[in-house]
Amino acid sequence: MSPATGDQSLPTAAYLAALAALDGAGPARLRAILAERSAHDAWFGVRSGAPWVTTALGSHDRAAQWCRAAVRIDPGELLATLRANRFGAVDQRSPGYPPPLRDDPDPPAVLFADGDLAAVGDRRVAVVGTRRCTRYGHDVAIELGESLAASGVTVVSGLALGIDAAAHVGALRAQGAPPVAVVAGGLDEPYPRRNAPLWREVAAAGVVLSEAPAGVRPQRWRFPSRNRIIAGLAEVVVVVESHERGGSLYTVSEAISRDRPVMAVPGPIRSAASTGTNALIADGGHVLSRIDDVFALLDLVGTVTVGSPHQRPIADAVDRRILDALGWQPTSIDEIVAHTRLPVDDVALRLHRLENDGVVALRGRWYEQCVVAPGHRAAQST
Amino acid sequence: MLATVSSASLTGVRGHPVTVEVHVSQGLPSFTVVGLPDTSCREARDRVRAAVLSSGLEWPQTRITVNLAPSGVPKVGAGLDLAIAVGVLRAGGQLGDGDTEGFAFIGELGLDGSVRNVIGTLPLVAAARRPIVAVAPANHAEAALVPGVDVRSAPTLRAMVDALRAVEYWPQPPPAPIPPAPAPLDELAQVKGQPLARRAVEIAAAGGHHLLMVGPPGGGKSMLARSLVGLLPSLTPEEALDVMTVHSAAGLQLAPGALIERPPFRAPHHTASTVALVGGGSRALRPGEISCAHAGVLFLDELGEFPASVLDALRQPLEDGVVRIARAYGATTLPARVLLVAAMNPCPCGDAGVAGSSCRCSEGTRQRYLRRVSGPLLDRFDLRVHVDRPPASALFSSEATEPTAAVVERVAQARSIAAARGVARNADLAMSDLDTLAPLAPTARRVLEIAMDRGRLTARGVHRVRRVARTIADLAGTEGPVDECHVAGALATRIDVGTSATGLVA
């Protein structure tokens, strides 16, 4: 009865990959054609231009386009890629499908996984934020990731640069609950490439999920789409730093539409990287004033691995002046000199010493004051 | 009949003496010029003949051969016209041999017999090595700069011949042309805020370290660069003569009467070609902007917009202090000891790295933009600072910032300390001399070691930092070993250009 009876031997994953590889195969369309049929039947329906496909997609043009495109897609080849990379593929009927997404209003129809899908644990917190973060945001994200994972809470994030990466780094450092990453592009193409080593570590320790089949470079629309999965997976979404407009705010609105609590980490009012998070707090978001706060929201008593922020006692009056000029936001040496009116060489030398003592840190050309972090120092000394 | 007349021709910025030999013999009327003339030089035949005839003089209706000796060296330009004309007149008997005794002739002729100015008069007159030099009126003042030369000028060939025959007086030289006023230098006091950049400018002036400024538009990078010239010491007489020789050869208008005192400031536009920047050309071997900036400041604004090939051509001159130009028919060196000051934006839109900026350039775009300046060239900059837009409070602050005059004193003091060590510019300190001339205090070495451990300094960078630290110590009046605060100060003026563009770090 089927035009390609020989293909019937292929497992479901092959047809899921083939369907997801169609141009414009977003979650809604895939759900529509997978609603009442197996992946195998859906694929051959699309390929043969069956009338029900037009009905399911609600568009004759799209059905015709997919019918033409399907000829060039070989499920067998896609399956070989999946197997070569040890990637899994699940749809909503698969037993491995992440349970939190089963009741989602906009669940992914197909999910590809690099790693163990069981990594999606019972308690899950998303830690998200801007790519262009400050040292402060970077450190908070690491602390959060580390504390959560150490307490057995799954850290969900997006493996982007900046906050996302820092959260994963923290989660990996704790060696506690396995990390979960949701990415926008194909699993075989780490994006951004700079994160490839971290990507592999996350896949080895936990799981990297994607709606896109292997070989797909992340198109623009896939990033907000990925953010909705992060929101869907998390019980609580913590935004560490966000600019006035940014992808993490999309995650926030997806979380709000799912009645998930959103926490924001307050930041200096003059830091561009905190304008988004401060606005969230002003709009009634939960405040993360201590790492503990996230556990309170989860009704957990967590293990906080790092200390609370307070300045260390600095005896030297001139050092004190420099730290006062530094404040708690990234500051250039120009600004410090302008505020303290000390000679440039003197400021440079004192900053050098303060950096040696771990009081300040230099990132690019910005100096930042470090918080007392016993956990970090322990981690560094071992 | 044979006549020999002295003149000179230009290769690069160097004049070399040329003897114009004119032979008039029986035969069919002809006029040949031999001795490697270039096109404009060979065309002298037509100009000279027309000029002689227009002047009411006689053109010998015989066979005329002109040899430009030494005949192996290529001659360029029309500056030999006058000497050829005088040679023909002498060979034809219209001028007595005694009339031109001790003379050299440098000038171009018009068809109407007028004597026109030539570029490079200063080196040409110096190269002619004759007690009296006749030039075009427009070149009179410039030629008079050469010591020990009696300069004569006349507006036309006829007037010159009459003066040579002693039937007329030499005409009065015209008033020297007023060169365009040099761009007013910026006063350092106008630069508000920018403590680090001001400091870098001071160090650059004191030690001759090349300076790169990275920052958004409107930060005052150009102003800082222009004010840097004001901090440099005045030129020595030898330097001044070098500078004027180059400027003369490049056809720039020289200030009349005296040697120039202030170092030149040249700011070529970023569309400049390689030849325009380093000099050369098909035959004339003209000096480029880097030679025109000799002993002064070469300012390259928008460094990232210069073609990579043009910038890479700067590397050898920066290293050697001279431009070596070699062509199939000859080679020359042009002086090019400059203080290179460059400015560039951190990204195409210019706003990267500004706190609270609206920069929308992607990370990749920024990196690509910064990569347009090659590593080896970047390495030439001992000083690299980020120049932010000053905060509004600094712009309107009534508080006095240090004026140029105050900084000039420190720079002069630092230079004299360096000179006492036998070093003109600390930037030129040889690596082998660093340990003896710029020894490090133990604490200072520790600062360098830590910087290397943190991956902020390469082995090559260490030497550069040590030279800058030496200059900072000189500025502070420290003659002993380089102290840790000098090294820390040197490190602060050496940002990593790549990460400085990334304002908030990922």
Side-chain angles (χ1 to χ4, degrees):
Chain A
M1 120 204 168
S2 166
T5 320
D7 281 352
Q8 274 179 322
S9 55
L10 289 179
T12 305
Y15 301 115
L16 289 176
L19 286 167
L22 290 164
D23 193 31
R29 293 200 179 107
L30 286 180
R31 278 201 306 273
I33 62 165
L34 283 167
E36 289 159 15
R37 289 167 184 83
S38 71
H40 169 268
D41 291 351
W43 171 249
F44 286 107
V46 167
R47 239 187 84 151
S48 59
W52 65 262
V53 178
T54 306
T55 320
L57 292 174
S59 155
H60 181 270
D61 289 350
R62 178 65 71 174
Q65 185 204 340
W66 279 13
C67 179
R68 285 194 302 276
V71 181
R72 290 190 294 274
I73 296 173
D74 178 8
E77 196 180 311
L78 292 172
L79 183 70
T81 311
L82 286 177
R83 284 190 171 152
N85 290 302
R86 296 170 183 280
F87 295 155
V90 290
D91 64 0
Q92 283 170 286
R93 282 185 287 265
S94 311
Y97 194 81
L101 293 175
R102 287 192 188 280
D103 307 323
D104 198 82
D106 186 13
V110 181
L111 266 182
F112 299 94
D114 183 4
D116 187 3
L117 271 165
V120 181
D122 293 339
R123 309 311 306 264
R124 302 161 311 273
V125 170
V127 180
V128 297
T130 177
R131 292 169 169 79
R132 291 175 292 150
C133 66
T134 65
R135 165 81 187 209
Y136 158 74
H138 180 261
D139 288 355
V140 169
I142 288 188
E143 287 170 27
L144 261 172
E146 193 171 355
S147 301
L148 287 166
S151 313
V153 179
T154 302
V155 173
V156 183
S157 196
L159 265 181
L161 295 174
I163 299 293
D164 282 16
H168 284 305
V169 167
L172 286 167
R173 190 184 282 175
Q175 297 186 334
V180 172
V182 188
V183 298
L187 293 172
D188 58 340
E189 291 199 21
Y191 177 93
R193 249 180 292 175
R194 211 196 298 175
N195 267 354
L198 180 63
W199 178 301
R200 282 190 286 275
E201 275 186 68
V202 171
V207 65
V208 182
L209 298 173
S210 175
E211 271 187 295
V216 166
R217 286 185 62 79
Q219 300 113 314
R220 272 186 115 72
W221 64 268
R222 288 195 183 268
F223 287 93
S225 184
R226 173 275 301 269
N227 290 354
R228 109 190 174 275
I229 303 178
I230 293 178
L233 280 172
E235 293 174 273
V236 175
V237 171
V238 183
V239 188
V240 179
E241 274 188 321
S242 171
H243 290 258
E244 204 171 349
R245 297 146 57 106
S248 35
L249 297 185
Y250 194 89
T251 315
V252 166
S253 65
E254 290 288 337
I256 291 170
S257 74
R258 287 167 174 78
D259 278 333
R260 305 277 154 81
V262 173
M263 295 193 100
V265 178
I269 58 172
R270 285 200 284 198
S271 163
S274 285
T275 40
T277 36
N278 288 344
L280 281 176
I281 294 169
D283 290 347
H286 296 271
V287 183
L288 188 124
S289 56
R290 295 178 310 159
I291 303 290
D292 281 347
D293 292 348
V294 68
F295 295 111
L297 215 55
L298 290 167
D299 290 324
L300 279 179
V301 180
T303 321
V304 177
T305 57
V306 289
S308 56
H310 59 81
Q311 275 187 353
R312 68 193 68 214
I314 296 290
D316 189 281
V318 181
D319 282 353
R320 191 68 266 155
R321 257 167 83 195
I322 289 179
L323 289 183
D324 288 345
L326 202 55
W328 289 97
Q329 53 188 334
T331 310
S332 73
I333 193 165
D334 264 337
E335 293 165 315
I336 301 171
V337 171
H339 275 98
T340 57
R341 292 164 195 282
L342 294 166
V344 173
D345 299 342
D346 212 19
V347 171
L349 180 60
R350 282 175 183 277
L351 283 170
H352 168 84
R353 289 190 182 138
L354 288 169
E355 191 183 1
N356 287 350
D357 296 344
V359 181
V360 302
L362 178 65
R363 314 199 83 212
R365 62 196 178 91
W366 305 94
Y367 280 94
E368 291 184 81
Q369 204 170 160
C370 302
V371 296
V372 181
H376 275 202
R377 284 200 293 180
Q380 275 166 9
S381 60
T382 47
Chain B
M1 288 288 285
L2 177 73
T4 58
V5 179
S6 291
S7 187
S9 172
L10 201 62
T11 307
V13 298
R14 224 165 276 162
H16 50 88
V18 173
T19 306
V20 178
E21 301 169 336
V22 183
H23 187 246
V24 175
S25 63
Q26 294 306 311
L28 285 174
S30 70
F31 186 20
T32 327
V33 178
V34 299
L36 294 188
D38 75 342
T39 311
S40 65
C41 198
R42 195 176 302 120
E43 286 162 359
R45 292 192 314 173
D46 303 314
R47 280 193 303 272
V48 168
R49 188 163 184 274
V52 166
L53 291 174
S54 315
S55 304
L57 297 160
E58 197 184 315
W59 186 258
Q61 292 299 323
T62 51
R63 182 184 173 86
I64 305 171
T65 308
V66 174
N67 179 37
L68 309 173
S71 45
V73 182
K75 325 292 182 303
V76 294
L80 297 171
D81 287 5
L82 191 56
I84 295 173
V86 169
V88 169
L89 294 174
R90 260 183 54 194
Q94 296 181 75
L95 273 172
D97 282 355
D99 294 343
T100 59
E101 185 67 46
F103 268 86
F105 295 89
I106 293 160
E108 179 183 335
L109 287 177
L111 299 185
D112 57 353
S114 59
V115 183
R116 292 184 177 156
N117 56 326
V118 296
I119 64 163
T121 300
L122 183 61
L124 289 176
V125 169
R129 295 193 206 124
R130 307 295 286 181
I132 315 172
V133 178
V135 297
N139 287 136
H140 193 110
E142 188 179 327
L145 289 168
V146 182
V149 174
D150 189 359
V151 179
R152 307 282 170 81
S153 65
T156 62
L157 180 62
R158 178 82 222 187
M160 195 170 277
V161 168
D162 286 346
L164 287 168
R165 285 171 174 165
V167 297
E168 289 281 349
Y169 290 109
W170 284 93
Q172 278 294 315
I178 314 268
L185 295 178
D186 283 339
E187 161 65 33
L188 204 50
Q190 290 170 344
V191 181
K192 302 286 184 186
Q194 314 293 13
L196 206 60
R198 291 172 63 98
R199 180 87 172 131
V201 164
E202 181 178 334
I203 298 169
H209 305 278
H210 301 312
L211 166 64
L212 174 64
M213 293 179 281
V214 183
K221 300 191 291 286
S222 309
M223 205 150 72
L224 282 160
R226 280 196 299 271
S227 59
L228 171 52
V229 196
L231 300 179
L232 293 173
S234 292
L235 299 175
T236 63
E238 297 82 49
E239 282 176 330
L241 201 62
D242 284 350
V243 170
M244 294 178 80
T245 303
V246 176
H247 286 194
S248 172
L252 302 179
Q253 188 71 262
L254 297 185
L259 293 174
I260 56 168
E261 286 176 357
R262 297 302 307 159
F265 176 80
R266 304 290 299 177
H269 190 249
H270 60 72
T271 51
S273 68
T274 307
V275 169
L277 212 57
V278 300
S282 58
R283 278 200 93 97
L285 301 183
R286 293 278 285 276
E289 287 289 338
I290 189 170
S291 295
C292 291
H294 174 68
V297 172
L298 177 67
F299 177 47
L300 302 182
D301 204 355
E302 306 293 355
L303 189 69
E305 306 291 340
F306 279 86
S309 59
V310 172
L311 291 182
D312 284 338
L314 284 178
R315 279 157 49 186
Q316 175 267 325
L318 286 177
E319 195 72 0
D320 302 342
V322 291
V323 180
R324 292 178 216 287
I325 298 175
R327 297 286 186 266
Y329 45 84
T332 190
T333 56
L334 307 170
R337 198 170 42 74
V338 300
L339 178 52
L340 178 62
V341 179
M344 69 186 295
N345 292 337
C347 70
C349 85
D351 259 353
V354 180
S357 82
S358 55
C359 173
R360 287 272 155 255
C361 304
S362 73
E363 187 64 29
T365 315
R366 278 180 218 166
Q367 293 301 331
R368 260 197 306 284
Y369 188 77
L370 293 170
R371 265 204 303 271
R372 290 163 82 164
V373 182
S374 73
L377 180 66
L378 209 54
D379 209 59
R380 301 279 186 275
F381 293 101
D382 289 359
L383 297 166
R384 307 168 198 166
V385 289
H386 197 102
V387 181
D388 271 320
R389 286 197 195 101
S393 57
L395 272 183
F396 297 111
S397 150
S398 56
E399 196 181 327
T401 41
E402 215 175 13
T404 296
V407 183
V408 162
E409 270 177 40
R410 279 204 301 275
V411 169
Q413 179 207 343
R415 285 208 169 219
S416 70
I417 293 179
R421 275 194 308 268
V423 182
R425 313 198 301 179
N426 284 335
D428 301 333
L429 269 176
M431 213 185 290
S432 50
D433 290 341
L434 276 177
D435 282 332
T436 51
L437 299 182
L440 290 169
T443 48
R445 180 156 60 231
R446 187 79 201 115
V447 174
L448 282 179
E449 283 166 6
I450 291 172
M452 284 185 81
D453 288 347
R454 291 199 181 120
R456 290 191 197 143
L457 207 52
T458 60
R460 197 201 305 241
V462 168
H463 303 302
R464 306 234 158 218
V465 167
R466 287 183 66 179
R467 293 188 185 109
V468 174
R470 179 72 261 175
T471 305
I472 295 178
D474 291 350
L475 280 167
T478 312
E479 298 190 27
V482 173
D483 209 0
E484 57 179 335
C485 78
H486 305 139
V487 172
L491 285 170
T493 46
R494 191 188 167 83
I495 52 157
D496 179 346
V497 172
T499 56
S500 95
T502 325
L504 304 168
V505 196

